[in-house]
Amino acid sequence: MRHDDAVDFHPYRSELVAYCYRMLGSFHEAEDLAQETLLRAWKARDRYDPARASVRTWLYRIATNVCLTALEGRGRRPLPSGLGAPSDDPGAPLVPALDVPWLEPFPDARFDVEVRADLRLAWVAAVQVLPARQRAVLVLREVLAFTAAEVAEQLETTVAAVNSALQRARAALAGVGDAGAVTEPDDPEVRAVVQRYVQAFEAADVPALVRLLTDDAVLEMPPVPLWYRGSRDYGRFMERVFTMRGTGWCVRELTGNGQPALAAYAPDPGGGHRLHTLQVFTVADGRIAHNVVFADPRVFDAFELPREIPAGEFRRER
């Protein structure tokens, strides 16, 4: 989207989508709000004053207002672990809670976003607990590195109010997102762990899966509000999965939220494989610490995943 040789909005689209995603916790809404931001900017292009702010700062002011309006009167987007205690029953009914606006994953491959550490699912889920304006201050200051004065202008408030909101947001998120615990999906050790998990998963080898888990590993499955903590219950649930859906699964490796991920395809009785879940992993100290398993077809569409793989056509993407 461009209106003359001096101002080009298009290079900012990816980072605006990522910003709106951090604010809303929904990839689909983030795309819509980023598009709304660019549309408003285009309509207001004659009023843009480069002497007052850069194009980027001006766009983020518009995006912040769009996001704050969208968040009015809304609750947060949670993961199942944010709603209640873990289950210890591997046979509990898998009933989706379709009335809950669940947190959605972010499809890395579709966007060129430089800062991915603060796209992590755990971080975005924690941010959802903050009031909307605190959320905006935290993301604008801590992730996007705007100055307090720039954020104050974007939010039409004072520098003192921005600093106070940032302090409260930091206190609320204390202990979440330790930078030292962040692992990149292309780190050789992380790739090795994930590939061993894939091999065990495709072989339906539950003991091998369990050996790759931390002792307090978490497994959760939105839109089912059920979740488990601990390698023992994780393994018991995986035994149930293979009993219910059979063996002979195949997996496609990818990334989401700057984390290793995989698309799991269950064997189809008629031949071939059918897409079952998208799984996003947190790897810590050489083991799987967290697996968020998404089964929403809208998530599959966001990651542009084929729903079926005909017999003989599967090729794992490395």
Side-chain angles (χ1 to χ4, degrees), residues 1 9 16 19-20 23 33-45 47-48 53-70 140 146 150 153-156:
M1 189 178 296
F9 299 147
L16 288 171
Y19 172 59
C20 294
M23 289 290 290
L33 295 182
Q35 186 63 28
E36 174 66 18
T37 296
L38 295 174
L39 179 60
R40 290 191 187 188
W42 183 79
K43 289 180 177 179
R45 63 194 184 279
R47 298 196 298 275
Y48 167 62
S54 67
V55 172
R56 183 173 183 264
T57 299
W58 181 61
L59 286 173
Y60 272 97
R61 178 173 184 171
I62 298 171
T64 298
N65 288 329
V66 168
C67 288
L68 292 177
T69 298
L140 291 168
F146 284 106
E150 288 172 325
E153 183 173 354
Q154 288 164 337
L155 291 172
E156 298 183 341

Side-chain angles (χ1 to χ4, degrees), residues 37-311:
T37 296
L38 295 174
L39 179 60
R40 290 191 187 188
W42 183 79
K43 289 180 177 179
R45 63 194 184 279
D46 294 336
R47 298 196 298 275
Y48 167 62
D49 182 358
R52 293 191 56 190
S54 67
V55 172
R56 183 173 183 264
T57 299
W58 181 61
L59 286 173
Y60 272 97
R61 178 173 184 171
I62 298 171
T64 298
N65 288 329
V66 168
C67 288
L68 292 177
T69 298
L71 286 167
E72 288 178 359
R74 292 196 189 186
R76 64 190 175 98
R77 282 185 172 270
L79 290 173
S81 56
L83 296 180
S87 173
D88 59 2
D89 178 7
L94 303 178
V95 181
L98 300 179
D99 58 330
V100 176
W102 296 105
L103 187 71
E104 297 175 353
F106 187 89
D108 292 352
R110 292 180 55 184
F111 296 91
D112 180 17
V113 179
E114 292 184 3
V115 180
R116 294 200 185 274
D118 295 303
L119 279 173
R120 298 189 312 281
L121 279 171
W123 193 89
V124 176
V127 168
Q128 299 298 301
V129 178
L130 299 175
R133 288 176 70 84
Q134 279 188 32
R135 200 179 305 178
V137 168
L138 181 74
V139 176
L140 291 168
R141 289 283 286 119
E142 298 281 81
V143 179
L144 300 169
F146 284 106
T147 67
E150 288 172 325
V151 176
E153 183 173 354
Q154 288 164 337
L155 291 172
E156 298 183 341
T157 187
T158 65
V159 169
V162 167
N163 290 335
S164 177
L166 180 59
Q167 185 177 15
R168 293 195 301 273
R170 284 172 172 168
L173 268 63
V176 175
D178 178 10
V182 176
T183 54
E184 297 297 328
D186 58 355
D187 179 278
E189 182 181 10
V190 172
R191 285 184 59 84
V193 171
V194 173
Q195 287 172 12
R196 287 198 297 271
Y197 189 96
V198 167
Q199 291 167 4
F201 188 91
E202 290 184 333
D205 187 344
V206 174
L209 287 176
V210 170
R211 288 194 295 271
L212 293 167
L213 305 174
T214 62
D215 292 341
D216 58 351
V218 169
L219 174 67
E220 46 191 330
M221 302 158 283
V224 174
L226 192 68
W227 67 286
Y228 297 96
R229 182 188 295 278
S231 57
R232 176 177 174 272
D233 286 341
Y234 191 124
R236 293 168 68 201
F237 183 80
M238 292 308 302
E239 289 174 351
R240 175 188 182 185
V241 169
F242 294 132
T243 298
M244 291 173 58
R245 300 304 302 264
T247 58
W249 294 57
C250 63
V251 165
R252 173 184 172 186
E253 295 178 46
L254 59 156
T255 67
N257 293 79
Q259 300 171 233
L262 60 84
Y265 288 80
D268 191 324
H273 293 79
R274 184 177 297 275
L275 182 58
H276 184 261
T277 52
L278 173 79
Q279 306 181 25
V280 181
F281 296 97
T282 300
V283 179
D285 298 324
R287 291 196 288 175
I288 304 291
H290 201 151
N291 183 6
V292 185
V293 180
F294 295 93
D296 185 346
R298 282 167 50 88
V299 168
F300 302 159
D301 293 340
F303 280 75
E304 299 179 332
L305 294 168
R307 298 297 180 88
E308 298 181 17
I309 299 178

